[in-house]
Amino acid sequence: MESPWERVGDNLYVVSSPTNPFGQVLVALVTPFTFDGEVDWAGVEKHIDDVINAGADGIVVTGTTGETSTLTDPEKIRLVEVGKSVAAGRAKIITGGGSNETAHAMQLARQSEKAGADGNMIVTPYYNKPTQAGILTHFRMIADATDLPVILYDIPGRTGVPINYETILRAAKHPNILAVKDAKGDFAQVSRVLNQTDLLYFSGDDANVLPHLSIGATGLIGVTANITATPYRQMVDAVNAGDLASATAAHMQLEPLVRAVMTHVPGTVAVKYILHGLRRIGSPRVRLPLVGPEESEAAQIEAELDHVKNIPGVDFSNFRPDRNAAAGGSLPKVAGTTR
């Protein structure tokens, strides 16, 4: 297996990779809601445009951060359609979330492909706790269902089951399975897979983006990038150019913001709270069973934000959080459906 590093000058190396149909700076997009829990479609359009202008070249709609578990199938498909329309070729639109029912995930993949999705991110089946053979069959059948390039999403903290190293190697033989989003934090496994396959790796942990990039990952699928994708763009571009010092500077700038987003409440909740405080979305509401931050949690988020200094693409000087608006959660008019 050839090394993933390519020498381009004296002591300068950049990551070389197979053709990448996904982009490098991918935003795990929140789904803006109105106060009563309905999708704010105008807000969705504005937010997609904002993150693309900030440097994102890929967007994952209907993923964990997009509250996929409480979206209806028609909402998921419309999010793909709206994403494609707003992006207008400026960024790839990836459908995310999938299902823990293989047949349903196959159906969603076909509908998303018809709606114009550029790729499909498939999460490990959750709650069922299948064997590795079941996980592999699930992935292969969904990958067979369309011509979309596939990202496998490895997040055992949410699904209860990891994708084992051997399973990733077997899945990599499928012609449509091209990438992994890693939220497991097993850097040794990442290195082994990169050495033995042509899979692209995306960091799925905002705090570990630079470490992942430094060992050969292609890019990130980030939650904090909803607030500003610009420093992630700078970090990725710096790594591509072999400029570790600039990449590290971007990483250090982002650290307190990542801590604010990822530490005290679910990332979706924190991002919506912060975006609303910046007046970039109309409401911080989430759908139940998610709820907005409690007073103590909101205070912790705000205390972390006090350490954010001079991050490109975001200005906290006019940050005005609204704890009352964020409190509780909403029940939409139509419940999420399995089909």
Side-chain angles (χ1 to χ4, degrees), residues 233-311:
R233 179 82 266 162
Q234 294 174 339
M235 187 189 302
V236 167
D237 290 347
V239 170
N240 289 343
D243 183 357
L244 181 60
S246 295
T248 301
H251 168 81
M252 297 302 291
Q253 277 186 320
L254 279 163
E255 188 272 334
L257 182 59
V258 170
R259 197 168 64 243
V261 168
M262 304 303 293
T263 306
H264 307 292
V265 293
T268 303
V269 174
V271 165
K272 284 190 167 183
Y273 184 69
I274 294 169
L275 286 174
H276 182 251
L278 293 168
R279 300 300 180 262
R280 290 192 18 212
I281 60 173
S283 169
R285 295 291 268 185
V286 290
R287 286 181 177 173
L288 287 161
L290 292 182
V291 295
E294 297 189 38
E295 286 290 318
S296 60
E297 295 164 337
Q300 289 175 310
I301 292 169
E302 292 162 23
E304 306 286 16
L305 294 178
D306 287 341
H307 297 283
V308 175
K309 306 295 182 187
N310 302 318
I311 293 184

Side-chain angles (χ1 to χ4, degrees), residues 160-181:
V161 186
I163 311 175
N164 288 351
Y165 161 74
E166 295 80 7
T167 304
I168 294 176
L169 293 189
R170 294 173 71 187
K173 296 177 182 179
H174 194 289
N176 289 344
I177 295 175
L178 303 186
V180 176
K181 175 185 176 182

Side-chain angles (χ1 to χ4, degrees), residues 6-24:
E6 176 185 352
R7 184 164 183 162
V8 296
D10 292 340
N11 301 318
L12 176 61
Y13 293 80
V14 297
V15 180
S16 60
S17 68
T19 301
N20 174 7
F22 307 110
Q24 287 189 282

Side-chain angles (χ1 to χ4, degrees), residues 3 84 141 325:
S3 168
K84 285 292 288 186
M141 291 191 72

Side-chain angles (χ1 to χ4, degrees), residues 19-37:
T19 301
N20 174 7
F22 307 110
Q24 287 189 282
V25 179
L26 279 64
V27 176
L29 199 80
V30 297
T31 307
F33 295 142
T34 62
F35 184 78
D36 59 359

